[in-house]
Structure formats: structure tokens, C-alpha cells
PDB file of all heavy atoms in Angstrom:
ATOM      1  N   SER A1355      52.833  15.083 -24.519  1.00 79.00           N
ATOM      2  CA  SER A1355      51.751  15.908 -23.728  1.00 79.00           C
ATOM      3  C   SER A1355      50.722  16.462 -24.696  1.00 79.00           C
ATOM      4  O   SER A1355      49.577  16.789 -24.204  1.00 79.00           O
ATOM      5  CB  SER A1355      52.381  17.077 -22.985  1.00 79.00           C
ATOM      6  OG  SER A1355      53.012  17.880 -23.725  1.00 79.00           O
ATOM      7  N   MET A1356      50.959  16.500 -26.020  1.00 78.00           N
ATOM      8  CA  MET A1356      49.983  17.048 -26.950  1.00 78.00           C
ATOM      9  C   MET A1356      48.563  16.673 -26.855  1.00 78.00           C
ATOM     10  O   MET A1356      47.667  17.410 -26.768  1.00 78.00           O
ATOM     11  CB  MET A1356      50.517  16.878 -28.355  1.00 78.00           C
ATOM     12  CG  MET A1356      51.690  17.700 -28.741  1.00 78.00           C
ATOM     13  SD  MET A1356      51.351  19.535 -28.890  1.00 78.00           S
ATOM     14  CE  MET A1356      50.412  19.493 -30.439  1.00 78.00           C
ATOM     15  N   GLY A1357      48.368  15.351 -26.817  1.00 81.00           N
ATOM     16  CA  GLY A1357      47.041  14.773 -26.764  1.00 81.00           C
ATOM     17  C   GLY A1357      46.190  15.245 -25.751  1.00 81.00           C
ATOM     18  O   GLY A1357      45.116  15.750 -25.790  1.00 81.00           O
ATOM     19  N   LEU A1358      46.740  15.100 -24.343  1.00 80.00           N
ATOM     20  CA  LEU A1358      45.979  15.564 -23.162  1.00 80.00           C
ATOM     21  C   LEU A1358      45.846  16.991 -23.149  1.00 80.00           C
ATOM     22  O   LEU A1358      44.781  17.547 -22.757  1.00 80.00           O
ATOM     23  CB  LEU A1358      46.703  14.941 -21.911  1.00 80.00           C
ATOM     24  CG  LEU A1358      46.556  13.565 -21.618  1.00 80.00           C
ATOM     25  CD1 LEU A1358      47.248  13.157 -20.363  1.00 80.00           C
ATOM     26  CD2 LEU A1358      45.098  13.204 -21.458  1.00 80.00           C
ATOM     27  N   VAL A1359      46.793  17.718 -23.544  1.00 81.00           N
ATOM     28  CA  VAL A1359      46.678  19.240 -23.438  1.00 81.00           C
ATOM     29  C   VAL A1359      45.710  19.586 -24.443  1.00 81.00           C
ATOM     30  O   VAL A1359      44.785  20.570 -24.041  1.00 81.00           O
ATOM     31  CB  VAL A1359      48.096  19.951 -23.769  1.00 81.00           C
ATOM     32  CG1 VAL A1359      47.865  21.434 -23.888  1.00 81.00           C
ATOM     33  CG2 VAL A1359      48.978  19.737 -22.691  1.00 81.00           C
ATOM     34  N   MET A1360      45.642  19.162 -25.674  1.00 80.00           N
ATOM     35  CA  MET A1360      44.573  19.580 -26.594  1.00 80.00           C
ATOM     36  C   MET A1360      43.213  19.169 -26.073  1.00 80.00           C
ATOM     37  O   MET A1360      42.277  19.928 -26.491  1.00 80.00           O
ATOM     38  CB  MET A1360      44.926  18.996 -27.960  1.00 80.00           C
ATOM     39  CG  MET A1360      46.250  19.626 -28.652  1.00 80.00           C
ATOM     40  SD  MET A1360      46.638  18.947 -30.184  1.00 80.00           S
ATOM     41  CE  MET A1360      45.282  19.433 -31.175  1.00 80.00           C
ATOM     42  N   GLN A1361      43.139  17.941 -25.462  1.00 80.00           N
ATOM     43  CA  GLN A1361      41.847  17.621 -24.970  1.00 80.00           C
ATOM     44  C   GLN A1361      41.422  18.638 -23.912  1.00 80.00           C
ATOM     45  O   GLN A1361      40.171  19.002 -24.004  1.00 80.00           O
ATOM     46  CB  GLN A1361      41.929  16.171 -24.266  1.00 80.00           C
ATOM     47  CG  GLN A1361      41.948  15.121 -25.239  1.00 80.00           C
ATOM     48  CD  GLN A1361      41.786  13.656 -24.545  1.00 80.00           C
ATOM     49  OE1 GLN A1361      40.850  13.517 -23.807  1.00 80.00           O
ATOM     50  NE2 GLN A1361      42.799  12.789 -24.710  1.00 80.00           N
ATOM     51  N   ALA A1362      42.335  18.994 -23.161  1.00 79.00           N
ATOM     52  CA  ALA A1362      41.846  20.007 -21.946  1.00 79.00           C
ATOM     53  C   ALA A1362      41.554  21.289 -22.525  1.00 79.00           C
ATOM     54  O   ALA A1362      40.487  21.841 -22.157  1.00 79.00           O
ATOM     55  CB  ALA A1362      43.053  20.172 -20.993  1.00 79.00           C
ATOM     56  N   LEU A1363      42.258  21.784 -23.474  1.00 77.00           N
ATOM     57  CA  LEU A1363      41.914  23.101 -24.148  1.00 77.00           C
ATOM     58  C   LEU A1363      40.693  22.956 -24.834  1.00 77.00           C
ATOM     59  O   LEU A1363      39.826  23.971 -24.780  1.00 77.00           O
ATOM     60  CB  LEU A1363      43.076  23.568 -25.040  1.00 77.00           C
ATOM     61  CG  LEU A1363      44.393  23.897 -24.440  1.00 77.00           C
ATOM     62  CD1 LEU A1363      45.410  24.161 -25.402  1.00 77.00           C
ATOM     63  CD2 LEU A1363      44.294  25.170 -23.574  1.00 77.00           C
ATOM     64  N   GLY A1364      40.424  22.038 -25.521  1.00 74.00           N
ATOM     65  CA  GLY A1364      39.067  21.806 -26.286  1.00 74.00           C
ATOM     66  C   GLY A1364      37.949  21.655 -25.326  1.00 74.00           C
ATOM     67  O   GLY A1364      36.851  22.289 -25.547  1.00 74.00           O
ATOM     68  N   ALA A1365      38.132  20.975 -24.143  1.00 72.00           N
ATOM     69  CA  ALA A1365      36.901  20.703 -23.299  1.00 72.00           C
ATOM     70  C   ALA A1365      36.651  21.995 -22.364  1.00 72.00           C
ATOM     71  O   ALA A1365      35.479  22.144 -22.101  1.00 72.00           O
ATOM     72  CB  ALA A1365      37.272  19.589 -22.366  1.00 72.00           C
ATOM     73  N   THR A1366      37.677  22.811 -22.076  1.00 71.00           N
ATOM     74  CA  THR A1366      37.478  23.907 -21.309  1.00 71.00           C
ATOM     75  C   THR A1366      37.515  25.228 -21.891  1.00 71.00           C
ATOM     76  O   THR A1366      37.324  26.230 -21.280  1.00 71.00           O
ATOM     77  CB  THR A1366      38.534  23.881 -20.140  1.00 71.00           C
ATOM     78  OG1 THR A1366      39.842  24.180 -20.774  1.00 71.00           O
ATOM     79  CG2 THR A1366      38.623  22.676 -19.349  1.00 71.00           C
ATOM     80  N   GLY A1367      37.589  25.315 -23.225  1.00 65.00           N
ATOM     81  CA  GLY A1367      37.587  26.426 -23.983  1.00 65.00           C
ATOM     82  C   GLY A1367      36.546  27.523 -23.700  1.00 65.00           C
ATOM     83  O   GLY A1367      36.804  28.633 -23.700  1.00 65.00           O
ATOM     84  N   LYS A1368      35.316  27.009 -23.548  1.00 61.00           N
ATOM     85  CA  LYS A1368      34.145  27.822 -23.277  1.00 61.00           C
ATOM     86  C   LYS A1368      34.078  28.503 -21.852  1.00 61.00           C
ATOM     87  O   LYS A1368      33.436  29.356 -21.568  1.00 61.00           O
ATOM     88  CB  LYS A1368      32.830  27.192 -23.646  1.00 61.00           C
ATOM     89  CG  LYS A1368      32.629  25.830 -23.343  1.00 61.00           C
ATOM     90  CD  LYS A1368      31.374  25.247 -23.700  1.00 61.00           C
ATOM     91  CE  LYS A1368      31.396  24.449 -24.973  1.00 61.00           C
ATOM     92  NZ  LYS A1368      30.336  23.468 -25.079  1.00 61.00           N
ATOM     93  N   PHE A1369      34.736  27.830 -20.945  1.00 64.00           N
ATOM     94  CA  PHE A1369      34.760  28.270 -19.531  1.00 64.00           C
ATOM     95  C   PHE A1369      36.068  28.888 -19.160  1.00 64.00           C
ATOM     96  O   PHE A1369      35.986  29.858 -18.264  1.00 64.00           O
ATOM     97  CB  PHE A1369      34.633  26.963 -18.673  1.00 64.00           C
ATOM     98  CG  PHE A1369      33.465  26.144 -18.987  1.00 64.00           C
ATOM     99  CD1 PHE A1369      33.727  24.908 -19.543  1.00 64.00           C
ATOM    100  CD2 PHE A1369      32.188  26.541 -18.726  1.00 64.00           C
ATOM    101  CE1 PHE A1369      32.655  24.075 -20.000  1.00 64.00           C
ATOM    102  CE2 PHE A1369      31.124  25.753 -19.031  1.00 64.00           C
ATOM    103  CZ  PHE A1369      31.374  24.481 -19.641  1.00 64.00           C
ATOM    104  N   TYR A1370      37.145  28.632 -19.754  1.00 59.00           N
ATOM    105  CA  TYR A1370      38.350  29.297 -19.390  1.00 59.00           C
ATOM    106  C   TYR A1370      39.241  29.499 -20.551  1.00 59.00           C
ATOM    107  O   TYR A1370      39.786  28.438 -21.219  1.00 59.00           O
ATOM    108  CB  TYR A1370      39.101  28.395 -18.356  1.00 59.00           C
ATOM    109  CG  TYR A1370      40.568  28.763 -17.950  1.00 59.00           C
ATOM    110  CD1 TYR A1370      40.727  30.045 -17.124  1.00 59.00           C
ATOM    111  CD2 TYR A1370      41.551  28.079 -18.228  1.00 59.00           C
ATOM    112  CE1 TYR A1370      42.008  30.399 -16.893  1.00 59.00           C
ATOM    113  CE2 TYR A1370      42.899  28.485 -17.913  1.00 59.00           C
ATOM    114  CZ  TYR A1370      43.012  29.660 -17.303  1.00 59.00           C
ATOM    115  OH  TYR A1370      44.243  30.102 -16.843  1.00 59.00           O
ATOM    116  N   ALA A1371      39.515  30.727 -20.998  1.00 58.00           N
ATOM    117  CA  ALA A1371      40.408  30.875 -22.102  1.00 58.00           C
ATOM    118  C   ALA A1371      41.363  32.017 -21.741  1.00 58.00           C
ATOM    119  O   ALA A1371      41.235  33.150 -21.884  1.00 58.00           O
ATOM    120  CB  ALA A1371      39.481  31.347 -23.204  1.00 58.00           C
ATOM    121  N   PRO A1372      42.574  31.687 -21.087  1.00 58.00           N
ATOM    122  CA  PRO A1372      43.587  32.654 -20.849  1.00 58.00           C
ATOM    123  C   PRO A1372      44.041  33.467 -22.071  1.00 58.00           C
ATOM    124  O   PRO A1372      44.445  34.498 -21.987  1.00 58.00           O
ATOM    125  CB  PRO A1372      44.679  31.888 -20.112  1.00 58.00           C
ATOM    126  CG  PRO A1372      44.516  30.528 -20.566  1.00 58.00           C
ATOM    127  CD  PRO A1372      43.042  30.295 -20.825  1.00 58.00           C
ATOM    128  N   ARG A1373      44.194  32.726 -23.152  1.00 62.00           N
ATOM    129  CA  ARG A1373      44.555  33.276 -24.462  1.00 62.00           C
ATOM    130  C   ARG A1373      44.129  32.279 -25.516  1.00 62.00           C
ATOM    131  O   ARG A1373      43.883  31.202 -25.331  1.00 62.00           O
ATOM    132  CB  ARG A1373      46.012  33.576 -24.587  1.00 62.00           C
ATOM    133  CG  ARG A1373      46.912  32.417 -24.452  1.00 62.00           C
ATOM    134  CD  ARG A1373      48.317  32.873 -24.452  1.00 62.00           C
ATOM    135  NE  ARG A1373      49.333  31.793 -24.418  1.00 62.00           N
ATOM    136  CZ  ARG A1373      49.767  31.172 -25.450  1.00 62.00           C
ATOM    137  NH1 ARG A1373      49.378  31.504 -26.664  1.00 62.00           N
ATOM    138  NH2 ARG A1373      50.598  30.147 -25.399  1.00 62.00           N
ATOM    139  N   GLU A1374      43.943  32.880 -26.747  1.00 66.00           N
ATOM    140  CA  GLU A1374      43.572  32.142 -27.842  1.00 66.00           C
ATOM    141  C   GLU A1374      44.735  31.212 -28.281  1.00 66.00           C
ATOM    142  O   GLU A1374      45.902  31.517 -28.144  1.00 66.00           O
ATOM    143  CB  GLU A1374      43.193  32.925 -29.022  1.00 66.00           C
ATOM    144  CG  GLU A1374      41.938  33.653 -28.851  1.00 66.00           C
ATOM    145  CD  GLU A1374      41.482  34.431 -30.096  1.00 66.00           C
ATOM    146  OE1 GLU A1374      42.089  34.141 -31.184  1.00 66.00           O
ATOM    147  OE2 GLU A1374      40.467  35.148 -30.042  1.00 66.00           O
ATOM    148  N   TRP A1375      44.366  29.983 -28.690  1.00 63.00           N
ATOM    149  CA  TRP A1375      45.445  29.005 -29.164  1.00 63.00           C
ATOM    150  C   TRP A1375      45.051  28.541 -30.542  1.00 63.00           C
ATOM    151  O   TRP A1375      43.827  28.433 -30.888  1.00 63.00           O
ATOM    152  CB  TRP A1375      45.684  27.830 -28.156  1.00 63.00           C
ATOM    153  CG  TRP A1375      44.518  26.999 -28.049  1.00 63.00           C
ATOM    154  CD1 TRP A1375      43.303  27.286 -27.284  1.00 63.00           C
ATOM    155  CD2 TRP A1375      44.329  25.556 -28.524  1.00 63.00           C
ATOM    156  NE1 TRP A1375      42.536  26.162 -27.409  1.00 63.00           N
ATOM    157  CE2 TRP A1375      43.174  25.082 -28.136  1.00 63.00           C
ATOM    158  CE3 TRP A1375      45.281  24.821 -29.325  1.00 63.00           C
ATOM    159  CZ2 TRP A1375      42.601  23.911 -28.443  1.00 63.00           C
ATOM    160  CZ3 TRP A1375      44.726  23.613 -29.658  1.00 63.00           C
ATOM    161  CH2 TRP A1375      43.437  23.105 -29.228  1.00 63.00           C
ATOM    162  N   ASP A1376      45.954  28.323 -31.362  1.00 71.00           N
ATOM    163  CA  ASP A1376      45.704  27.857 -32.717  1.00 71.00           C
ATOM    164  C   ASP A1376      45.550  26.331 -32.841  1.00 71.00           C
ATOM    165  O   ASP A1376      46.566  25.628 -32.851  1.00 71.00           O
ATOM    166  CB  ASP A1376      46.825  28.429 -33.667  1.00 71.00           C
ATOM    167  CG  ASP A1376      46.592  28.221 -35.151  1.00 71.00           C
ATOM    168  OD1 ASP A1376      45.664  27.407 -35.399  1.00 71.00           O
ATOM    169  OD2 ASP A1376      47.149  28.929 -35.877  1.00 71.00           O
ATOM    170  N   CYS A1377      44.266  25.913 -32.753  1.00 76.00           N
ATOM    171  CA  CYS A1377      44.020  24.442 -32.720  1.00 76.00           C
ATOM    172  C   CYS A1377      44.464  23.948 -34.050  1.00 76.00           C
ATOM    173  O   CYS A1377      45.079  22.713 -34.178  1.00 76.00           O
ATOM    174  CB  CYS A1377      42.468  24.311 -32.676  1.00 76.00           C
ATOM    175  SG  CYS A1377      41.990  22.561 -32.634  1.00 76.00           S
ATOM    176  N   ALA A1378      44.311  24.512 -35.194  1.00 78.00           N
ATOM    177  CA  ALA A1378      44.789  23.949 -36.536  1.00 78.00           C
ATOM    178  C   ALA A1378      46.194  23.717 -36.543  1.00 78.00           C
ATOM    179  O   ALA A1378      46.673  22.679 -37.064  1.00 78.00           O
ATOM    180  CB  ALA A1378      44.200  24.827 -37.551  1.00 78.00           C
ATOM    181  N   GLN A1379      47.043  24.604 -35.993  1.00 79.00           N
ATOM    182  CA  GLN A1379      48.334  24.539 -36.000  1.00 79.00           C
ATOM    183  C   GLN A1379      48.839  23.298 -35.164  1.00 79.00           C
ATOM    184  O   GLN A1379      49.841  22.588 -35.491  1.00 79.00           O
ATOM    185  CB  GLN A1379      49.053  25.896 -35.512  1.00 79.00           C
ATOM    186  CG  GLN A1379      50.596  25.879 -35.739  1.00 79.00           C
ATOM    187  CD  GLN A1379      51.162  27.184 -35.178  1.00 79.00           C
ATOM    188  OE1 GLN A1379      50.797  27.635 -34.273  1.00 79.00           O
ATOM    189  NE2 GLN A1379      52.319  27.620 -35.823  1.00 79.00           N
ATOM    190  N   ALA A1380      48.199  23.276 -33.998  1.00 78.00           N
ATOM    191  CA  ALA A1380      48.502  22.101 -33.023  1.00 78.00           C
ATOM    192  C   ALA A1380      48.120  20.761 -33.685  1.00 78.00           C
ATOM    193  O   ALA A1380      48.877  19.860 -33.559  1.00 78.00           O
ATOM    194  CB  ALA A1380      47.749  22.209 -31.745  1.00 78.00           C
TER     195      ALA A1380
END
């Protein structure tokens, strides 16, 4: 699931951010 989840978090980060996530760690 990593690929799609990271795509979703990256694409929607400016509109919806329930909490910060560590992109570098992922």
C-alpha cells in the first residue's frame, strides 16, 4: 500500500492534513 498512500498524502497535503507525516522516513 505504500506507493498509493504516499501518492495520496503528497497530492492532498496542501488541502487535507490530519497530522504531519514523515515523508523522508516513508
Side-chain angles (χ1 to χ4, degrees):
S1355 63
M1356 286 288 287
L1358 283 181
V1359 171
M1360 290 179 69
Q1361 283 189 55
L1363 288 171
T1366 61
K1368 37 179 102 156
F1369 306 108
Y1370 173 66
R1373 65 183 178 89
E1374 289 187 12
W1375 65 288
D1376 191 337
C1377 178
Q1379 189 181 34

